[in-house]
Amino acid sequence: MKDFEYFSPTTVEEALSLLSKYKKEGKIIAGGQSMLVVMRQGLIAPEYIIDIKGISALDYINYDQKDGLKIGALTTHRAIEKSPVLQKHFRVFSEMEVNLATIQTRNWGTIGGNLCHGDPAGDPALVFIALNAKLKLNRVGQERVVAMEEFSKDLLEVDLGADEMLTEIHVPIPKPYTGIAHEKLMVMQGDAGIVGAAVLITMGEGEDICENARIVISNAASVPWRAKEAENLLIGKRINDTLLDKAGEIAAAKSDPPSDVHGSAEYRREMIKVFVRRAGTKALERAKQG
Ligand SMILES: Cc1cc2nc3c(=O)[nH]c(=O)nc-3n(C[C@H](O)[C@H](O)[C@H](O)COP(=O)(O)OP(=O)(O)OC[C@H]3O[C@@H](n4cnc5c(N)ncnc54)[C@H](O)[C@@H]3O)c2cc1C
C-alpha cells in the first residue's frame, strides 16, 4: 500500500471541509471493510484518508410514524440487525443483516460504506430500493437527495462526487397491506450472496389484488437491479404460486448476471427464479396480514 496522510474528523463539517480541500486525492474511510480490500488490491491509492468513523452524530436509527425511518450513514450493520425499533417496524432489515458477512464485519462495517461501495452483490441496497429509500448527500454548504434506486451507476460506481459524503438514508412508511422480504443464496453463512432478492408487495385494501410490487435482485446486473417486467406481471392481479413462478422466470430471462467462480450466469438465472418466488411468497403472506 502507498503511504497516505490520515485525518480523523469528529464532525460532519470537519469531514466535508477536508473532502473539499483534498477532492480527488482524498478518500473517506468508514469501517474499512471494503475500502481496505480495494486498497490492498491496488485498485485505489488515495493520498489522504479521511476516517469518518468517529463522527458519532451519524450513528443513529430514528423512527417516526409520519416521517418514516432515518438511519445515519455510520450506523453499523450489527446495530441495524439488533435494533428493537427495526425489529418491530421493519423486521426485513434484521433478517437481511443476520445473513450479511460475519459478526466481525457487521460490528465494524457501516451501512453508508456498504451503499457507497456500490457492489451489485450487496444486500442492503435491495431492501432500500424495494422500500423506495432516499439518500442524503452533503458537500460543503450543499445538500441533495438521491433515490437509492438511482445511486448505483455501474460496478463499484455510485452517484457521489469526490467532495460529497452520504449522511443519511430515509425510508418512507410503506402503505398498509405492504409486505417485504429478502432472501439470498449463500454457499456458507457469512459469504457474499450468489444471488439475492428483495420483494415488496402492496395489496389493495380489502381486496385480494396486488396494487404495487417492487422486485430487486443482486448479482443480476452491474448494479442492484429492478425487475420491472416481473413487477408489472404482478400489479393488478390476484397473486398465486403460478404467477410468482412466472415473475421469477421473467426476472431471470431479463437479467444479465455475471459468470464467476461462485456461479455461472446460467446457474444464477435458475437461482433468480427460485429466490424471487421465495421472497415473493413471504412478502405476499406479510402483505395479507396488513
Ligand atoms: C468477509 C466479508 C463479507 C461480506 N459479505 C457481505 C454480504 O454478504 N453482503 C453485503 O452486502 N456486504 C458484504 N460485505 C461488504 C460489507 O458489508 C461492507 O464491506 C461494509 O458494509 C462496508 O462498510 P464500511 O463502513 O467498512 O465501508 P468502507 O470500507 O470504509 O468504505 C467503502 C466505500 O464507501 C465509501 N464511504 C464509506 N462511507 C461513506 C460515506 N458516509 N459517504 C461517502 N462515501 C463513503 C468509502 O470511501 C469506500 O469507497 C462483506 C465484506 C467482507 C469483508
Side-chain angles (χ1 to χ4, degrees):
M1 263 195 241
K2 259 181 63 179
D3 283 355
F4 51 80
E5 205 172 324
Y6 175 84
F7 299 93
S8 51
T10 52
T11 64
V12 173
E13 292 72 26
E14 219 185 315
L16 295 182
S17 148
L18 285 162
L19 277 174
S20 152
K21 187 168 172 193
Y22 295 115
K23 291 229 167 69
K24 291 216 161 91
E25 298 76 37
K27 188 96 177 116
I28 285 181
I29 195 166
Q33 301 297 303
S34 294
M35 171 102 162
L36 288 175
V37 177
V38 289
M39 280 176 76
R40 265 197 237 109
Q41 288 170 339
L43 295 174
I44 57 166
E47 287 175 34
Y48 303 95
I49 291 212
I50 302 157
D51 181 353
I52 59 170
K53 194 78 160 105
I55 308 180
S56 53
L58 292 184
D59 178 6
Y60 57 87
I61 298 171
N62 293 336
Y63 175 83
D64 179 275
Q65 269 185 335
K66 273 198 188 134
D67 267 6
L69 173 68
K70 289 180 178 167
I71 306 180
L74 284 170
T75 309
T76 63
H77 293 291
R78 188 73 167 157
I80 293 172
E81 176 194 341
K82 292 287 174 192
S83 159
V85 169
L86 293 184
Q87 278 167 7
K88 184 165 174 206
H89 298 286
F90 285 96
R91 69 174 142 155
V92 66
F93 283 113
S94 314
E95 293 167 350
M96 176 271 294
E97 288 288 4
V98 85
N99 288 319
L100 184 152
T102 55
I103 290 185
Q104 291 89 333
T105 295
R106 296 204 294 278
N107 260 334
W108 206 243
T110 66
I111 194 68
N114 183 290
L115 301 179
C116 291
H117 184 53
D119 188 344
D123 299 303
L126 306 186
V127 176
F128 284 124
I129 293 172
L131 286 165
N132 199 17
K134 306 273 190 295
L135 308 184
K136 192 158 96 182
L137 306 173
N138 290 81
R139 58 160 59 94
V140 173
Q142 271 183 43
E143 182 174 302
R144 68 185 176 110
V145 174
V146 174
M148 178 62 228
E149 189 181 346
E150 276 145 33
F151 187 57
S152 292
K153 292 295 175 198
D154 206 342
L155 185 76
L156 307 185
E157 266 182 41
V158 293
D159 177 13
L160 188 73
D163 58 348
E164 271 185 320
M165 184 167 132
L166 167 64
T167 51
E168 184 178 90
I169 305 135
H170 176 224
V171 181
I173 299 286
K175 285 183 81 171
Y177 298 97
T178 293
I180 174 166
H182 170 264
E183 293 279 334
K184 82 170 175 182
L185 172 66
M186 299 169 285
V187 175
M188 280 190 313
Q189 185 74 23
D191 246 4
I194 294 172
V195 293
V199 177
L200 174 140
I201 291 173
T202 303
M203 303 299 286
E205 215 160 318
E207 298 169 34
D208 217 7
I209 302 293
C210 169
E211 188 183 290
N212 190 24
R214 287 167 79 96
I215 301 176
V216 197
I217 304 171
S218 64
N219 271 331
S222 63
V223 294
W225 179 70
R226 245 183 102 182
K228 291 193 181 166
E229 283 92 346
E231 294 174 359
N232 289 337
L233 183 83
L234 302 182
I235 296 169
K237 310 244 176 58
R238 185 165 285 119
I239 302 180
N240 55 27
D241 290 349
T242 314
L243 204 61
L244 283 173
D245 278 343
K246 277 201 184 128
E249 280 164 24
I250 291 178
K254 298 281 175 187
S255 68
D256 184 17
S259 277
D260 57 27
V261 286
H262 305 292
S264 64
E266 191 187 356
Y267 175 65
R268 282 197 163 97
R269 277 199 200 93
E270 286 305 310
M271 291 303 105
I272 287 171
K273 291 181 198 168
V274 174
F275 281 80
V276 166
R277 185 183 58 225
R278 222 175 256 185
T281 305
K282 213 186 237 185
L284 180 64
E285 271 167 28
R286 291 175 175 180
K288 284 181 175 168
Q289 285 159 18

